[in-house]
Short mmCIF file of all heavy atoms in Angstrom, two decimals:
data_model
loop_
_atom_site.label_atom_id
_atom_site.label_comp_id
_atom_site.label_asym_id
_atom_site.label_seq_id
_atom_site.Cartn_x
_atom_site.Cartn_y
_atom_site.Cartn_z
N ALA Y 139 186.03 331.96 172.64
CA ALA Y 139 185.14 331.89 171.47
C ALA Y 139 184.82 333.28 170.94
O ALA Y 139 184.68 333.48 169.74
CB ALA Y 139 183.86 331.15 171.84
N LEU Y 140 184.73 334.25 171.83
CA LEU Y 140 184.47 335.63 171.43
C LEU Y 140 185.66 336.22 170.69
O LEU Y 140 185.51 336.91 169.68
CB LEU Y 140 184.16 336.46 172.68
CG LEU Y 140 184.02 337.96 172.51
CD1 LEU Y 140 182.73 338.29 171.78
CD2 LEU Y 140 184.04 338.64 173.85
N LEU Y 141 186.86 335.93 171.16
CA LEU Y 141 188.07 336.50 170.58
C LEU Y 141 188.40 335.93 169.21
O LEU Y 141 189.14 336.55 168.45
CB LEU Y 141 189.25 336.31 171.53
CG LEU Y 141 189.12 337.02 172.87
CD1 LEU Y 141 190.28 336.65 173.78
CD2 LEU Y 141 189.01 338.51 172.70
N LEU Y 142 187.85 334.76 168.88
CA LEU Y 142 188.11 334.16 167.56
C LEU Y 142 187.67 335.06 166.43
O LEU Y 142 188.33 335.14 165.40
CB LEU Y 142 187.40 332.82 167.44
CG LEU Y 142 188.01 331.65 168.20
CD1 LEU Y 142 187.15 330.42 168.01
CD2 LEU Y 142 189.42 331.40 167.77
N GLY Y 143 186.57 335.75 166.58
CA GLY Y 143 186.06 336.60 165.52
C GLY Y 143 186.80 337.92 165.37
O GLY Y 143 186.56 338.66 164.43
N LEU Y 144 187.72 338.23 166.29
CA LEU Y 144 188.40 339.52 166.25
C LEU Y 144 189.71 339.51 165.48
O LEU Y 144 190.21 340.56 165.12
CB LEU Y 144 188.68 339.99 167.68
CG LEU Y 144 187.46 340.22 168.55
CD1 LEU Y 144 187.89 340.63 169.95
CD2 LEU Y 144 186.55 341.28 167.95
N VAL Y 145 190.27 338.32 165.25
CA VAL Y 145 191.55 338.23 164.54
C VAL Y 145 191.31 337.61 163.17
O VAL Y 145 190.38 336.86 162.96
CB VAL Y 145 192.57 337.40 165.35
CG1 VAL Y 145 192.96 338.13 166.62
CG2 VAL Y 145 192.04 336.03 165.68
N ASP Y 146 192.19 337.95 162.22
CA ASP Y 146 192.03 337.47 160.85
C ASP Y 146 192.24 335.98 160.73
O ASP Y 146 191.45 335.25 160.17
CB ASP Y 146 192.98 338.21 159.91
CG ASP Y 146 192.64 339.69 159.83
OD1 ASP Y 146 191.47 340.04 160.03
OD2 ASP Y 146 193.56 340.48 159.58
N SER Y 147 193.35 335.49 161.25
CA SER Y 147 193.68 334.07 161.17
C SER Y 147 193.68 333.48 162.57
O SER Y 147 194.39 333.95 163.45
CB SER Y 147 195.07 333.89 160.56
OG SER Y 147 195.47 332.54 160.66
N THR Y 148 192.84 332.46 162.80
CA THR Y 148 192.77 331.87 164.13
C THR Y 148 193.85 330.83 164.36
O THR Y 148 194.13 330.47 165.49
CB THR Y 148 191.40 331.20 164.36
OG1 THR Y 148 191.19 330.22 163.35
CG2 THR Y 148 190.29 332.24 164.32
N GLU Y 149 194.49 330.36 163.30
CA GLU Y 149 195.57 329.39 163.48
C GLU Y 149 196.84 330.12 163.92
O GLU Y 149 197.21 331.13 163.34
CB GLU Y 149 195.83 328.63 162.19
CG GLU Y 149 194.70 327.68 161.84
CD GLU Y 149 195.03 326.83 160.64
OE1 GLU Y 149 196.22 326.54 160.43
OE2 GLU Y 149 194.09 326.47 159.93
N GLY Y 150 197.48 329.59 164.93
CA GLY Y 150 198.70 330.18 165.44
C GLY Y 150 198.47 331.40 166.31
O GLY Y 150 199.38 332.18 166.54
N VAL Y 151 197.24 331.59 166.79
CA VAL Y 151 196.92 332.71 167.66
C VAL Y 151 196.70 332.19 169.07
O VAL Y 151 196.04 331.19 169.29
CB VAL Y 151 195.65 333.45 167.16
CG1 VAL Y 151 195.24 334.54 168.13
CG2 VAL Y 151 195.89 334.02 165.79
N VAL Y 152 197.29 332.91 170.05
CA VAL Y 152 197.19 332.51 171.45
C VAL Y 152 196.66 333.70 172.26
O VAL Y 152 197.09 334.83 172.06
CB VAL Y 152 198.57 332.08 172.00
CG1 VAL Y 152 198.48 331.73 173.47
CG2 VAL Y 152 199.12 330.91 171.21
N GLY Y 153 195.73 333.41 173.16
CA GLY Y 153 195.23 334.44 174.07
C GLY Y 153 195.84 334.25 175.44
O GLY Y 153 195.83 333.15 175.98
N TYR Y 154 196.38 335.31 176.00
CA TYR Y 154 197.00 335.27 177.32
C TYR Y 154 196.10 336.01 178.31
O TYR Y 154 195.83 337.20 178.12
CB TYR Y 154 198.39 335.92 177.30
CG TYR Y 154 199.36 335.22 176.40
CD1 TYR Y 154 199.63 335.72 175.12
CD2 TYR Y 154 200.02 334.07 176.81
CE1 TYR Y 154 200.52 335.09 174.29
CE2 TYR Y 154 200.91 333.43 175.97
CZ TYR Y 154 201.16 333.94 174.71
OH TYR Y 154 202.04 333.30 173.89
N PHE Y 155 195.67 335.32 179.33
CA PHE Y 155 194.86 335.91 180.39
C PHE Y 155 195.78 336.82 181.19
O PHE Y 155 196.68 336.37 181.88
CB PHE Y 155 194.29 334.77 181.25
CG PHE Y 155 193.28 335.18 182.27
CD1 PHE Y 155 192.25 336.04 181.97
CD2 PHE Y 155 193.35 334.66 183.55
CE1 PHE Y 155 191.32 336.39 182.93
CE2 PHE Y 155 192.43 335.00 184.51
CZ PHE Y 155 191.40 335.87 184.20
N ALA Y 156 195.60 338.14 181.10
CA ALA Y 156 196.58 339.09 181.64
C ALA Y 156 196.19 339.70 182.97
O ALA Y 156 197.05 339.89 183.83
CB ALA Y 156 196.83 340.20 180.62
N ALA Y 157 194.93 340.04 183.17
CA ALA Y 157 194.55 340.74 184.39
C ALA Y 157 193.08 340.54 184.70
O ALA Y 157 192.27 340.33 183.80
CB ALA Y 157 194.84 342.23 184.26
N ILE Y 158 192.75 340.62 186.00
CA ILE Y 158 191.35 340.65 186.43
C ILE Y 158 191.17 341.85 187.34
O ILE Y 158 192.07 342.21 188.10
CB ILE Y 158 190.89 339.34 187.12
CG1 ILE Y 158 191.78 339.00 188.31
CG2 ILE Y 158 190.83 338.20 186.16
CD1 ILE Y 158 191.28 337.82 189.10
N GLU Y 159 190.01 342.47 187.24
CA GLU Y 159 189.69 343.64 188.04
C GLU Y 159 188.23 343.55 188.49
O GLU Y 159 187.42 342.90 187.85
CB GLU Y 159 189.85 344.93 187.24
CG GLU Y 159 191.22 345.16 186.66
CD GLU Y 159 191.24 346.35 185.74
OE1 GLU Y 159 190.28 346.53 184.96
OE2 GLU Y 159 192.21 347.08 185.81
N ARG Y 160 187.95 344.24 189.57
CA ARG Y 160 186.57 344.37 190.08
C ARG Y 160 185.86 343.02 190.17
O ARG Y 160 184.73 342.86 189.71
CB ARG Y 160 185.78 345.34 189.23
CG ARG Y 160 186.36 346.73 189.28
CD ARG Y 160 185.52 347.69 188.52
NE ARG Y 160 186.17 349.00 188.55
CZ ARG Y 160 185.77 350.02 187.84
NH1 ARG Y 160 184.75 349.91 187.05
NH2 ARG Y 160 186.42 351.17 187.92
N VAL Y 161 186.54 342.07 190.76
CA VAL Y 161 185.97 340.74 190.93
C VAL Y 161 185.02 340.75 192.13
O VAL Y 161 185.41 341.19 193.22
CB VAL Y 161 187.07 339.68 191.14
CG1 VAL Y 161 186.48 338.31 191.37
CG2 VAL Y 161 188.02 339.68 189.96
N LYS Y 162 183.81 340.29 191.93
CA LYS Y 162 182.84 340.18 193.02
C LYS Y 162 182.39 338.73 193.10
O LYS Y 162 181.82 338.19 192.15
CB LYS Y 162 181.65 341.10 192.78
CG LYS Y 162 182.05 342.55 192.84
CD LYS Y 162 180.88 343.46 192.69
CE LYS Y 162 181.35 344.91 192.73
NZ LYS Y 162 180.28 345.84 192.48
N LEU Y 163 182.68 338.11 194.23
CA LEU Y 163 182.34 336.71 194.47
C LEU Y 163 181.08 336.69 195.34
O LEU Y 163 181.13 337.02 196.51
CB LEU Y 163 183.50 336.00 195.16
CG LEU Y 163 184.88 336.20 194.52
CD1 LEU Y 163 185.95 335.56 195.39
CD2 LEU Y 163 184.91 335.63 193.13
N ARG Y 164 179.97 336.31 194.76
CA ARG Y 164 178.68 336.39 195.46
C ARG Y 164 178.35 335.14 196.26
O ARG Y 164 178.14 335.19 197.45
CB ARG Y 164 177.55 336.66 194.46
CG ARG Y 164 177.75 337.90 193.65
CD ARG Y 164 177.54 339.11 194.48
NE ARG Y 164 177.68 340.29 193.62
CZ ARG Y 164 177.54 341.50 194.05
NH1 ARG Y 164 177.26 341.74 195.29
NH2 ARG Y 164 177.70 342.51 193.23
N ARG Y 165 178.24 334.00 195.57
CA ARG Y 165 177.87 332.75 196.23
C ARG Y 165 178.47 331.60 195.44
O ARG Y 165 178.82 331.77 194.27
CB ARG Y 165 176.36 332.61 196.34
CG ARG Y 165 175.64 332.45 195.02
CD ARG Y 165 174.13 332.38 195.22
NE ARG Y 165 173.47 331.76 194.09
CZ ARG Y 165 173.16 330.48 194.03
NH1 ARG Y 165 173.43 329.67 195.01
NH2 ARG Y 165 172.55 329.98 192.96
N PRO Y 166 178.60 330.43 196.02
CA PRO Y 166 179.20 329.31 195.29
C PRO Y 166 178.21 328.68 194.31
O PRO Y 166 177.00 328.75 194.49
CB PRO Y 166 179.60 328.33 196.39
CG PRO Y 166 178.63 328.61 197.49
CD PRO Y 166 178.34 330.09 197.43
N ALA Y 167 178.76 328.03 193.28
CA ALA Y 167 177.96 327.21 192.37
C ALA Y 167 178.03 325.78 192.92
O ALA Y 167 179.11 325.20 193.00
CB ALA Y 167 178.52 327.28 190.97
N LEU Y 168 176.91 325.24 193.33
CA LEU Y 168 176.86 323.94 193.98
C LEU Y 168 176.63 322.83 192.97
O LEU Y 168 176.19 323.07 191.83
CB LEU Y 168 175.75 323.92 195.03
CG LEU Y 168 175.85 324.98 196.13
CD1 LEU Y 168 174.62 324.94 197.01
CD2 LEU Y 168 177.11 324.80 196.93
N ALA Y 169 176.92 321.61 193.38
CA ALA Y 169 176.67 320.44 192.53
C ALA Y 169 175.20 320.40 192.14
O ALA Y 169 174.32 320.61 192.97
CB ALA Y 169 177.07 319.17 193.26
N GLY Y 170 174.95 320.19 190.86
CA GLY Y 170 173.60 320.18 190.34
C GLY Y 170 173.20 321.48 189.68
O GLY Y 170 172.20 321.55 188.96
N ASP Y 171 173.98 322.55 189.89
CA ASP Y 171 173.69 323.84 189.28
C ASP Y 171 174.17 323.88 187.83
O ASP Y 171 175.14 323.23 187.47
CB ASP Y 171 174.39 324.98 190.03
CG ASP Y 171 173.77 325.27 191.38
OD1 ASP Y 171 172.62 324.84 191.62
OD2 ASP Y 171 174.43 325.93 192.20
N THR Y 172 173.47 324.66 187.02
CA THR Y 172 173.92 324.96 185.66
C THR Y 172 174.41 326.39 185.66
O THR Y 172 173.64 327.33 185.88
CB THR Y 172 172.79 324.78 184.64
OG1 THR Y 172 172.34 323.42 184.69
CG2 THR Y 172 173.27 325.10 183.24
N LEU Y 173 175.70 326.54 185.43
CA LEU Y 173 176.35 327.84 185.48
C LEU Y 173 176.30 328.47 184.09
O LEU Y 173 176.78 327.89 183.12
CB LEU Y 173 177.79 327.62 185.93
CG LEU Y 173 178.64 328.78 186.37
CD1 LEU Y 173 178.03 329.48 187.58
CD2 LEU Y 173 180.03 328.30 186.71
N LEU Y 174 175.69 329.65 183.98
CA LEU Y 174 175.64 330.39 182.72
C LEU Y 174 176.74 331.44 182.74
O LEU Y 174 176.80 332.27 183.65
CB LEU Y 174 174.27 331.04 182.52
CG LEU Y 174 173.09 330.08 182.47
CD1 LEU Y 174 171.79 330.84 182.36
CD2 LEU Y 174 173.24 329.10 181.33
N LEU Y 175 177.60 331.40 181.74
CA LEU Y 175 178.79 332.25 181.68
C LEU Y 175 178.63 333.25 180.54
O LEU Y 175 178.71 332.89 179.38
CB LEU Y 175 180.03 331.38 181.45
CG LEU Y 175 180.22 330.22 182.42
CD1 LEU Y 175 181.17 329.19 181.84
CD2 LEU Y 175 180.70 330.74 183.74
N GLY Y 176 178.40 334.50 180.87
CA GLY Y 176 178.24 335.55 179.86
C GLY Y 176 179.44 336.47 179.84
O GLY Y 176 179.86 336.96 180.89
N VAL Y 177 179.98 336.72 178.65
CA VAL Y 177 181.14 337.60 178.50
C VAL Y 177 180.85 338.59 177.38
O VAL Y 177 180.42 338.20 176.30
CB VAL Y 177 182.43 336.80 178.19
CG1 VAL Y 177 183.61 337.74 178.01
CG2 VAL Y 177 182.71 335.77 179.26
N GLU Y 178 181.11 339.88 177.66
CA GLU Y 178 180.95 340.93 176.66
C GLU Y 178 182.27 341.62 176.43
O GLU Y 178 183.04 341.85 177.37
CB GLU Y 178 179.93 341.97 177.13
CG GLU Y 178 178.52 341.47 177.17
CD GLU Y 178 177.53 342.56 177.53
OE1 GLU Y 178 177.90 343.75 177.51
OE2 GLU Y 178 176.38 342.21 177.83
N LEU Y 179 182.53 341.98 175.19
CA LEU Y 179 183.73 342.72 174.84
C LEU Y 179 183.47 344.20 175.05
O LEU Y 179 182.49 344.74 174.52
CB LEU Y 179 184.10 342.45 173.37
CG LEU Y 179 185.34 343.15 172.86
CD1 LEU Y 179 186.58 342.51 173.45
CD2 LEU Y 179 185.39 343.07 171.34
N THR Y 180 184.33 344.87 175.82
CA THR Y 180 184.17 346.31 176.02
C THR Y 180 185.08 347.10 175.10
O THR Y 180 184.70 348.17 174.64
CB THR Y 180 184.42 346.71 177.50
OG1 THR Y 180 185.70 346.26 177.90
CG2 THR Y 180 183.36 346.10 178.39
N SER Y 181 186.30 346.58 174.82
CA SER Y 181 187.17 347.24 173.84
C SER Y 181 188.23 346.25 173.35
O SER Y 181 188.59 345.31 174.05
CB SER Y 181 187.85 348.48 174.43
OG SER Y 181 188.81 348.12 175.39
N PHE Y 182 188.70 346.50 172.12
CA PHE Y 182 189.76 345.68 171.53
C PHE Y 182 190.62 346.58 170.66
O PHE Y 182 190.15 347.11 169.65
CB PHE Y 182 189.19 344.54 170.69
CG PHE Y 182 190.23 343.64 170.11
CD1 PHE Y 182 190.91 342.74 170.91
CD2 PHE Y 182 190.55 343.71 168.77
CE1 PHE Y 182 191.88 341.91 170.37
CE2 PHE Y 182 191.51 342.88 168.22
CZ PHE Y 182 192.18 341.98 169.03
N ARG Y 183 191.87 346.79 171.09
CA ARG Y 183 192.82 347.60 170.32
C ARG Y 183 194.20 346.99 170.43
O ARG Y 183 194.63 346.59 171.52
CB ARG Y 183 192.87 349.03 170.84
CG ARG Y 183 191.71 349.86 170.38
CD ARG Y 183 191.89 351.27 170.80
NE ARG Y 183 191.69 351.29 172.27
CZ ARG Y 183 191.57 352.37 172.98
NH1 ARG Y 183 191.66 353.54 172.41
NH2 ARG Y 183 191.38 352.31 174.27
N ARG Y 184 194.87 346.91 169.28
CA ARG Y 184 196.26 346.45 169.21
C ARG Y 184 196.49 345.12 169.94
O ARG Y 184 197.47 344.94 170.63
CB ARG Y 184 197.19 347.51 169.76
CG ARG Y 184 197.15 348.79 168.97
CD ARG Y 184 198.13 349.77 169.49
NE ARG Y 184 198.01 351.02 168.77
CZ ARG Y 184 198.78 352.05 168.99
NH1 ARG Y 184 199.71 352.00 169.89
NH2 ARG Y 184 198.60 353.14 168.29
N GLY Y 185 195.55 344.22 169.80
CA GLY Y 185 195.70 342.90 170.37
C GLY Y 185 195.38 342.79 171.85
O GLY Y 185 195.60 341.75 172.46
#
């Protein structure tokens, strides 16, 4: 949803999940939990 605003035309655009870094797994999300997912853009250049 964040990447939609970065490209001119959203039709025919595909995002490829390329890499993950500095992953920290703290605790599990259990049944009954509401998971809040926050994502911030740090940089965007040349796609």
Side-chain angles (χ1 to χ4, degrees):
L140 173 71
L141 297 175
L142 285 178
L144 298 177
V145 293
D146 295 333
S147 171
T148 58
E149 290 186 30
V151 175
V152 177
Y154 298 100
F155 188 46
I158 56 174
E159 302 172 320
R160 298 184 183 171
V161 178
K162 294 183 181 175
L163 311 174
R164 303 288 183 179
R165 67 183 201 95
L168 303 174
D171 288 343
T172 300
L173 194 60
L174 299 177
L175 308 161
V177 179
E178 291 184 13
L179 180 73
T180 56
S181 70
F182 182 74
R183 281 186 288 191
R184 298 183 184 182

